Amino acid sequence: MYEAYFGLSGKPFQLNPDPSFFFGSRGHKRAMAYLEYGLHQNEGFIVITGEIGAGKTLLVRSLLEKLDPSQIVAANLVSTQIDADDILRLVAASFGIPARNLSKSDLLLALESFLVATTAAGKRALLIVDEAQNLTPRAVEELRMLSNFQLEDHALLQSFLVGQPEFRTMMQTPGMVQLRQRVIASYHLGPLDQPETKAYIEHRLRCVGWQGNPSFDDAAIEGIFAVSQGIPRRINAVCDRLLLAAFLVEQNHVGAELVEQIVAEMREEQVTPAADPLPPEPQVAVPAAAPLAAPAPVLAAALPDLTVLHKLLADPAAAAALTGAGPAYDATRFEERLALLERTLSTTLNTLGQLLTAAQQQAAAPPEDGSTPK
């Protein structure tokens, strides 16, 4: 919508990961270096973690763009809640291995045969598991077992595990000792700092032909950094809204005031409004409650005297005063709910009274064996 107004060739702050927008911050460069190091080692596991929106998936896709398909056969598995029974089938499917109706032993044989054939062809097999925090411990253990496939002294499979910080926590549990021993490098991808945030914004704008329109002042960059905390996905969300807002008011500069306005709007959108507990109801007469048996005297005192409220609602002046108490007030609906409450209380107390009476009668009755009650 705003691209033509600012002379841009595309949308600079899209949320979908696009390798053409990859920004090499210090953290992202280091994470990429760890992944490339793992490729050269051709064994073990590389683990990359980071907060939601830190750019992990974009990092993976940028790596895949660099790979030479004549040298590396890569499979990218985006995991959901996967347990051990499904992980091997998904790995096989990611490599294009038919796995339907195969038993686990046959599935492992098919995977091993594929990996041996790949190595024999002079290629290497790479498995990348994104969103690894969703894996169960048993599924992670199955992945570790795949690293045991070897041909002479060469590992047949290289694995990268990418996930949120929860996966890092999972790895520290006692059951993950063997996996930790197979990890040759691990890195946590942190947020951008404020100078990197500015460079990131300008980088993405330049990717779509930005020539300084719109301009961002330092106070705006500071505000964007404060609300995003340097998380790239949050930066994208705020900046996209900023460009849209600037376009709508036909201005070519983004300042602190516009940032504050957009941030306030986005926060309001995230607040869940208080829902009306009941949908609008037709104003119909409520039939009188059926007469109920009188409850036990000890419980009857607990029944509130609701006739006072009925009289209050019947008074036109009082009803008008209550109607003015708030725009959402509906006297008819209030009276309907009041009648329902009265019937419910009466029924409940009547039932309790009957139970109490039955309990008293049972206590007073002589035992069936004819003995004297104690």
Side-chain angles (χ1 to χ4, degrees):
M1 177 179 287
Y2 54 71
E3 297 88 22
Y5 178 76
F6 294 119
L8 305 177
S9 61
K11 195 172 182 179
F13 299 105
Q14 59 181 334
L15 297 181
N16 293 330
D18 185 345
S20 64
F21 285 96
F22 178 75
F23 174 71
S25 69
R26 288 191 300 271
H28 288 80
K29 285 181 179 178
R30 189 168 182 180
M32 182 65 77
Y34 274 70
L35 295 177
E36 292 174 347
Y37 169 76
L39 288 176
H40 288 296
Q41 294 298 308
N42 193 28
E43 64 177 353
F45 290 84
I46 301 291
V47 176
I48 302 294
T49 56
E51 298 293 340
I52 298 174
K56 302 182 297 298
T57 300
L58 181 57
L59 187 74
V60 168
R61 294 190 180 181
S62 299
L63 176 69
L64 292 172
E65 288 276 319
K66 296 180 179 181
L67 298 180
D68 183 355
S70 66
Q71 298 294 323
I72 298 177
V73 178
N76 185 20
L77 173 62
V78 180
S79 68
T80 54
Q81 298 292 340
I82 301 173
D83 203 353
D85 297 335
D86 297 319
I87 188 66
L88 293 179
R89 296 187 186 280
L90 288 176
V91 171
S94 298
F95 280 117
I97 303 171
R100 182 173 296 181
N101 300 325
L102 290 181
S103 64
K104 182 177 180 179
S105 58
D106 290 337
L107 187 58
L108 288 171
L109 286 174
L111 280 167
E112 186 175 18
S113 298
F114 168 80
L115 295 174
V116 169
T118 300
T119 302
K123 299 181 181 182
R124 291 184 291 163
L126 171 65
L127 174 65
I128 302 176
V129 181
D130 202 355
E131 302 294 344
Q133 76 281 349
N134 292 328
L135 297 172
T136 65
R138 292 179 60 239
V140 175
E141 177 63 13
E142 291 288 356
L143 292 178
R144 185 194 68 80
M145 294 296 292
L146 291 179
S147 67
N148 290 333
F149 288 148
Q150 292 190 343
L151 184 61
E152 297 178 351
D153 59 343
H154 298 288
L156 297 179
L157 180 65
Q158 169 80 52
S159 298
F160 295 164
L161 304 179
V162 182
Q164 296 172 21
E166 299 93 301
F167 183 65
R168 203 178 190 90
T169 302
M170 181 194 299
M171 288 184 56
Q172 301 307 313
T173 58
M176 294 289 146
V177 173
Q178 295 187 73
L179 174 66
R180 292 198 298 270
Q181 293 174 350
R182 299 289 181 94
V183 174
I184 61 176
S186 177
Y187 183 72
H188 182 74
L189 184 61
L192 309 178
D193 59 23
Q194 186 167 323
E196 286 178 326
T197 298
K198 179 179 180 180
Y200 173 84
I201 293 171
E202 293 177 349
H203 166 78
R204 293 194 68 108
L205 285 167
R206 289 194 197 97
C207 287
V208 292
W210 180 63
Q211 299 293 329
N213 178 28
S215 58
F216 289 74
D217 60 31
D218 292 340
I221 297 296
E222 183 178 350
I224 295 170
F225 174 73
V227 69
S228 68
Q229 296 296 300
I231 301 296
R233 187 181 299 169
R234 298 179 192 170
I235 297 173
N236 290 354
V238 174
C239 287
D240 183 63
R241 291 287 292 270
L242 285 171
L243 294 187
L244 177 60
F247 160 71
L248 293 175
V249 297
E250 298 184 352
Q251 70 181 49
N252 300 91
H253 177 73
V254 175
E257 183 177 351
L258 184 59
V259 173
E260 292 175 359
Q261 173 189 334
I262 293 304
V263 169
E265 289 179 2
M266 295 178 73
R267 284 175 176 166
E268 287 178 1
E269 293 168 3
Q270 294 172 359
V271 175
T272 304
D276 186 0
L278 291 175
E281 302 171 357
Q283 298 183 6
V284 296
V286 180
L292 299 171
V298 68
L299 297 174
L303 181 62
D305 185 3
L306 301 178
T307 57
V308 176
L309 289 177
H310 280 297
K311 291 179 180 179
L312 178 63
L313 290 173
D315 183 6
L322 287 173
T323 303
Y329 176 78
D330 187 329
T332 303
R333 289 177 60 191
F334 186 84
E335 186 170 9
E336 291 171 1
R337 296 173 186 174
L338 189 61
L340 177 61
L341 176 62
E342 182 179 5
R343 293 198 303 272
T344 302
L345 287 174
S346 297
T347 303
T348 302
L349 292 173
N350 181 53
T351 302
L352 291 175
Q354 293 174 354
L355 291 174
L356 180 60
T357 301
Q360 292 173 344
Q361 293 174 350
Q362 184 176 2
E368 295 181 358
D369 58 3
S371 61
T372 303
K374 297 182 180 180

